[in-house]
Amino acid sequence: MLGGLRGTWLSQLSPTRQVAAWVLAVAGPALLTLAALELRSSLVLGGFLFCTLLVVMAVAVIGGTWPALAGVVLGVLAREFFVVFPVDMPGGDLRPNLVSLVAFTVAGVAVSILIGELVRLAEEQAALRRVATLVAHAIPAEELFAVVTEEVGRLVAVDFVRLGRSDSDDSLTALAAWSRTGDHFPVGSRWPLAGELAISVSRTGRPARVDNIASASGPLGVDSREHGIRSAAAVPITVEGHVWGVMLTGSSLKRASPAGTEACLACFADLLAAAISNADSRAGITRLAQEQAALRRVATLVAHKAPAEEVFSAVAEEVGQLLPVDSASICRYESDSTLTFVAQWGSVVGSLPVGSRWTLGGHNLGTLVFKSGRPARVDSYADSSSGPLGAPIREEGLRSAVATPIIVQGRLWGVIAAGSILEQPLPSDTEARLASFTELVATAISNAESRAALAASRARVVAAADDTRRRIERDLHDGAQQRLVSLALALRAAQAAVPPGLGDLGGELAEVGGGLVSVMDDLRETARGIHPAILSEGGLAAALKMLARRSAVPVEVTVYADARLPERIEVAAYYVVSEALTNAAKHAHASVVQVSAATTGQVLHLHVRDDGTGGADPVRGSGLIGLKDRVEALGGTITIDSPAGAGTCLHAELPLAG
């Protein structure tokens, strides 16, 4: 019962209800007494006390336990006016009256305590339901914190309620506050976790109280004494096994905080913990979705074989927008112990621009990762940075930064770094989140290097083939053709020396000479096919016009390239047109072919269009496959559009540079 009595003043009802309860507690027994005086001859004491008990119950419902107990006392006093007359009557028996009086007193006290406790529980449950409804509706955390402190302040007999988050630097950040006087610590202010109460709750994770605030230490204790607070209680807000924050209450009453204060606060703390956990889960899901979306965008660029510079720029931007940072950088380590910035996002672009090269050394993330080959972080960057990179870092005011290495095929290629100008360190999972991007960057670099190596290899193969063709053509021209010419001249001389009487011999020599000329023509044609001499002598325009004259199908040639082009480009363009004309004559049954060549900027555009049967298969045709390899080896592209019955159009683009 004592516990219930202590808890009866825990609920804080509105002033209107309190006044109404006290008025009813006084006026109810008085009015019943006046009425009983008129009816004393017919109304027994039990009936009077029953009516008084009904009044006490109403008072308990309206105002709680203490007004109801006052009603019981007043009802007992009122009985003096009601039962005094039987005492004066001769032979009156007081025992029934005393029994009724004792029964009323016991019942009244029990009803007052019971109904008062039920009212308190009802008020508490109603407040908890309101908060739980807000939690279920996932309202913003700031709004929920303000509502909880107000609900607790109106429910519990305290003068202030404070809600704070425990930070890693042993401080408490104010998130919400409520006070009867309007004085409270501002939202966002930070308080050191010093003092008996705050330290006890934060470190032990259990509720605590201070019944005499005069003995409390620390800034919170001083602040409480300045506001006249005499006692305080606090409970932890535990989220997933860790103390997330603290809810504190204080009272100016001389007596200690009610025994049920901690239990009541714990109920609200549990709801707050659930709301924070749900919010963290939703935030985690949202963050994961954003991270996966960013990784997909970068992975799409990598899969589409985007240039490495484009991938670097995209990664730096994605990292900067995804993480709580002010700058993001991608750097490449050079063979001379220097570092080159290849992509930048955020505030340090001016001091560390893309393309700038810095010598390693000192205390900075670039040097730390280079030496260890592992992720690194610096939480006091602006104060501790040194070396050539230290000056721009201090100039930009980066306070906290992390970096992860980019490992390409087992070797340290570079580093991704992200920094913040805020004093608090970057989250502990920042390195792991950066690592996801370093893997994609490493893949992009590996792919780019593989493509570059493949292109260089194909280019070497094409160049070697062209050199071989040129050597064979030169060997044929300088060797076999010259010998055949010498033999033809010798044969003519022998034919001229044949005596007139040997006509048959002269005819045979003439026939051999004709065959020799035919072999020379065939050899010259073969040499021309291996490597056209006119291409080296007259350039692409002359070579294409020669192909048009030799074609079995009429050809219209248009060339918008007066200057000589790089030899590899002219050779590739010649063979593209030659193969296209051969296909048009042999397979397309075309009546006319249009050939155009033009340079736009640093690209040679080739178009070959015929009006033949179409249906060319660029996948199975060995000649077209060879052309594709040759063009792509030079960094160019070739496309073939050949719908059945609508002719064939070949378009090739060859970069002049590179």
Side-chain angles (χ1 to χ4, degrees), residues 164-173 191-209 220 234-239 241-248:
R165 183 188 65 240
S166 299
D167 295 326
S168 58
D169 57 349
D170 289 334
S171 63
L172 197 68
T173 299
W191 299 75
L193 269 177
E196 173 184 349
L197 186 63
I199 290 179
S200 175
V201 173
S202 180
R203 292 183 179 177
T204 66
R206 293 193 297 270
R209 64 164 52 215
L220 288 174
V235 296
I237 301 172
T238 305
V239 179
H242 301 283
V243 177
W244 181 90
V246 179
M247 186 186 298
L248 303 98

Side-chain angles (χ1 to χ4, degrees), residues 592-617:
V592 65
V593 180
Q594 296 174 333
V595 177
S596 66
T599 55
T600 302
Q602 291 296 310
V603 178
L604 172 65
H605 296 272
L606 281 177
H607 289 275
V608 181
R609 180 188 298 275
D610 66 54
D611 60 354
T613 58
D617 188 351

Side-chain angles (χ1 to χ4, degrees), residues 475-511:
D475 291 344
L476 290 175
H477 181 273
D478 297 341
Q481 281 185 285
Q482 293 303 320
R483 291 185 62 190
L484 289 173
V485 170
S486 299
L487 289 174
L489 293 175
L491 185 60
R492 255 194 223 103
Q495 184 180 0
V498 173
L502 297 176
D504 294 339
L505 179 59
E508 291 176 2
L509 291 176
E511 185 177 352

